[in-house]
Amino acid sequence: MSKTRRDFLKLAGACACTVAASQLVGANAHAASAGHGPAVPQPGNQHEHALHGTHWGMVIDTKRFTDPLLVQKCVDACHLTHNVPKIDGPQELKWIWPANYLETFTEHNHYLPDSVEQRSFLLLCNHCENPPCVRVCPTKATFKRGWDGIVQMDMHRCIGCRFCMAACPYGARSFNFHNPRPYIDEAKMNPAYPTRMRGVVEKCTFCVERLAQGLMPACVEASDGAILFGDLDDPASTVRKALASKFTVRRKVSLGTEPSVYYII
Amino acid sequence: MLEKALKGSPLYWFWLFFLACVAGVGSMAYLYQLNFGLSVTGMSRDVSWGFYIAQFTYLVGVAASAVMLVLPTYLHHYKAFKKMIILGEFMAIAAVSMCLLFIIVDLGQPQRAMNVILHPTPGSILFWDMIVLNGYLFINLLVGWVTLQAERNEVAPPKWIKFFIYLSIFWAFSIHTVTAFLYAGLPGRHYWLTAIMAARFLASAFCSGPAILLLLAFLLKRLVNFDPGKEAIKSLAKIITYAMAINVFFFLLEVFTAFYSDIPGHKAPIVYLFSGMDGFAQWTPFMWLAAILAFLSLALLIPAKLRDNHELLPWTLLFLVIATWIDKGIGLLVGGFTPNMFETVTEYVPSIPELAIVLAIYAMGAMILTVLWKIALGVKQEVGHF
């Protein structure tokens, strides 16, 4: 009796292995054909007016953000362009948002001028050169584009483990605790940008979809010149010229993440 | 051997029925969570992991603790643990099963869990955690089953199983080290960014896991008159004592480094946990209770006279389990996320559905443990080993 049972188990085990192996081979073949393998450092099909850069970066002139309306204009431009749901409370989602000096620069001096301490600072994903969120993601759902340094998200691959949120030292990532769609104002919805589903992480993408069409990021466009955007690798770019002429700081540089967002104080 | 689980006293069936009810209620809560997302939990943008991941972390330790029986038995040929070693291995199976369930319920998109295998990412510690946890589950199932089968047939276990037993010793250390690396490698989380995180995890595991095992062994003695043996209890209590002393010592090392260096970021989570911050102090009573119970358990464990008093020992172990559970099941996660990345405080309160799901997974773990132990004790009874 026990011999036949053992034989059955052996057969069952062998079958299971064969099925698993064939699935694995199938999955790999599929991955290769559909281009879902490891991120290949080259752009896909590009619009003829697409903007090109090898290291996109941003310089925020915080002195220009004295008007709360301008701050709100930038935030709204981003959130409306990307259908970011408006949810109040601690489970909110935000791609770009204002914070005060102490929250922005957690290592700070005393006796600052009131104008600095009371200024609004726009926070967003820093598109780090060495992003901890990408390092910890178990599915490569968040990845750094090799050709322009943008840290991107694949919402269809994200399993919602939120390891990236624990890893990001800038609190730049939001999780869809709710189904986001009921929280998007239908009248203002942007049909050109996808909405997300419940249970995935999202964040600022440096407007990859706009760069590909030759447009500046939405917040930059809305900022009346207070936010500069360009290629940090190009010494003639507006961002490099601003960095060369103004004193700037980045958030939490001691962690070695190398943020690509600079602040003129 | 599975048939051993099918014959039992009314109490056995009532217990399983009770656990099934708890698991059933929690499963309804999980259905609710599946429908409304993790919004039904107390987690937030700032505290993005909560009770699920905390329980997962604690139970990895419980699972790893089986090695405290396996190592003396197979590396030092220590005979006294022979009788209860299977209980430790089967407890590890129940604990790892709970760990995997806690990971699944924490996922925002659980149906995509296999993406971790479809898109393997060796750079991510979570990928390695998946491998070591499943591997440990497999090893313990294999070793437990094969050695129990040999005991039933009253023959020596096959020689090849030795390989897996030695592997399980190495593997037990690996599961908790890798789990510690989930936390210890994140820049900007001061409470977690510490080189002794893995060492702390192992010390806490090697006192809390055996303490739970010993508590359950005392219960078995009452319920079914299974006696693991005086010598085994004595030795295990000694192991628990050393591990707890090291565990508390390691925590005090963290306190020293944070407060003597006087670096605000390092001090902040400890200050928040033990005295509150910005008017938020919800976990303070828990942390102080943990601290008091930790020292109390040590005071009752270190003197041999008190440690070997079997009237007192279950209480001591209970204190120890509560202290270590608060430290790892609440403090570790909350302290890692508070203060948040903007040096402000967002407090985390687990929701009712969240707690129901946690209880359900514990009930499922208890069911697995009950059935496995029933089988193990049934076999031992059959061959007259107790």
Side-chain angles (χ1 to χ4, degrees), chain B residues 101-174:
Chain B
L101 285 171
F102 275 118
I103 293 279
I104 295 295
V105 299
D106 188 67
L107 293 182
Q109 288 289 333
Q111 76 278 21
R112 293 183 189 165
M114 286 300 153
N115 278 4
V116 178
I117 295 162
L118 287 174
H119 309 287
T121 314
S124 170
I125 301 295
L126 205 56
F127 169 78
W128 290 106
D129 218 29
M130 183 268 301
I131 288 181
V132 291
L133 284 175
N134 284 296
Y136 195 64
L137 180 62
F138 168 76
I139 292 171
N140 274 285
L141 273 171
L142 185 73
V143 169
W145 210 254
V146 168
T147 50
L148 192 63
Q149 190 111 51
E151 187 173 346
R152 188 189 199 186
N153 297 335
E154 299 184 73
V155 294
K159 279 222 169 76
W160 58 264
I161 200 69
K162 275 272 167 71
F163 168 77
F164 288 95
I165 291 171
Y166 292 136
L167 187 65
S168 84
I169 295 174
F170 159 79
W171 212 278
F173 284 91
S174 83

Side-chain angles (χ1 to χ4, degrees), chain B residues 348-361:
Chain B
Y348 161 73
V349 189
S351 70
I352 303 282
E354 198 174 357
L355 291 175
I357 292 168
V358 167
L359 278 181
I361 293 176

Side-chain angles (χ1 to χ4, degrees), chain A residues 40-64:
Chain A
V40 186
Q42 55 185 340
N45 290 336
Q46 294 250 322
H47 197 279
E48 56 181 313
H49 306 298
L51 298 179
H52 295 283
T54 51
H55 180 190
W56 291 117
M58 188 177 268
V59 178
I60 300 178
D61 188 351
T62 66
K63 276 187 254 183
R64 301 273 305 272

